[in-house]
């Protein structure tokens, strides 16, 4: 099973600007013994059994349906909308997706490693809401309560994508 570690955001990470704006940001990474493209990584991530569960929940709760073909199309840059997300920024080695409410972002990046290996990165952004009384940005109570689950889930999603790519 690939080891997933939490790392500081790379300087060129597409979601770095949100950290400077007071949002919650994170970066998880693992290295696999295979050379993969960024598109292969994103497609693998969105088509794992674990993420398919999230896709099912989104279809049932907010009517945001998706399928594996759409995952492949967004990964390869053929479409910009997938399930509850829209492409915010895309680079050859990175993708930043924004949820339909503008509250969260998902970030994917790859980096070639020596010996024919690939480092996979996955990160998230939770954008703070402006408190009407204070004018300060704050994470909602729900996000704060779910942060522990989020950290475990992020690691599990990245591990599932890495395992899929190594098959």
């Amino acid at each position: 099973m690939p080891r997933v570690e939490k790392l500081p955001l790379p300087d060129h990470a597409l979601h770095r600007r949100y950290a400077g704006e007071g949002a919650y940001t994170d970066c998880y990474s693992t290295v696999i013994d295979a050379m993969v493209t960024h598109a292969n990584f994103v497609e693998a991530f969105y088509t794992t059994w674990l993420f398919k569960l999230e896709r099912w929940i989104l279809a049932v709760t907010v009517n945001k349906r998706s399928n594996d073909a759409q995952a492949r199309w967004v990964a390869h840059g053929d479409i910009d909308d997938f399930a509850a997300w829209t492409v915010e920024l895309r680079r050859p080695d990175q993708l930043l997706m924004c949820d339909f409410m503008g509250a969260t972002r998902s970030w994917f990046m790859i980096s070639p490693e020596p010996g024919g290996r690939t480092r996979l990165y996955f990160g998230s952004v939770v954008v703070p809401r402006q408190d009407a009384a204070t004018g300060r940005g704050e994470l909602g109570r729900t996000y704060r309560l779910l942060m522990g689950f989020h950290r475990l889930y992020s690691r599990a999603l990245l591990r599932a994508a890495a395992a899929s790519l190594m098959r």
Side-chain angles (χ1 to χ4, degrees):
M1 196 54 88
R3 191 181 112 226
V4 174
E5 57 187 331
K6 187 170 184 181
L7 298 177
L9 271 62
D11 290 338
H12 62 289
L14 291 178
H15 67 312
R16 176 168 272 298
R17 75 175 182 93
Y18 287 101
E21 297 172 1
Y24 168 84
T25 58
D26 59 27
C27 173
Y28 294 93
S29 182
T30 191
V31 176
I32 61 171
D33 291 324
M35 291 293 295
V36 298
T37 66
H38 186 262
N40 292 141
F41 169 42
V42 174
E43 181 179 353
F45 185 97
Y46 281 143
T47 60
T48 62
W49 70 270
L50 185 55
F51 199 82
K52 284 183 181 183
L53 179 60
E54 183 171 339
R55 286 172 32 193
W56 178 81
I57 291 168
L58 289 168
V60 170
T61 60
V62 292
N63 200 31
K64 297 291 185 181
R65 302 185 190 295
S66 61
N67 58 49
D68 288 355
Q70 292 167 325
R72 183 172 38 266
W73 297 335
V74 79
H76 289 270
D78 298 324
I79 61 173
D80 287 335
D81 295 309
F82 173 71
W85 297 273
T86 301
V87 172
E88 182 171 320
L89 291 169
R90 185 187 296 270
R91 301 285 181 271
D93 65 339
Q94 296 186 62
L95 177 67
L96 184 63
M97 301 289 285
C98 177
D99 79 78
F100 72 102
M101 297 187 319
T104 65
R105 309 290 188 279
S106 298
W107 167 74
F108 306 89
M109 187 174 87
I110 64 161
S111 177
E113 294 280 312
R117 302 168 76 197
T118 306
R119 180 170 290 277
L120 309 174
Y121 296 87
F122 172 65
S124 302
V125 175
V126 179
V127 178
R129 285 190 274 176
Q130 293 300 112
D131 182 287
T134 66
R136 294 176 37 201
E138 296 182 2
L139 294 180
R141 184 169 44 173
T142 303
Y143 284 111
R144 287 194 313 270
L145 290 173
L146 293 175
M147 203 52 72
F149 171 77
H150 167 79
R151 290 180 180 113
L152 290 173
Y153 185 54
S154 292
R155 289 174 187 268
L157 285 168
L158 183 56
R159 192 173 292 115
S164 176
L165 289 165
M166 292 189 304
R167 278 190 222 116

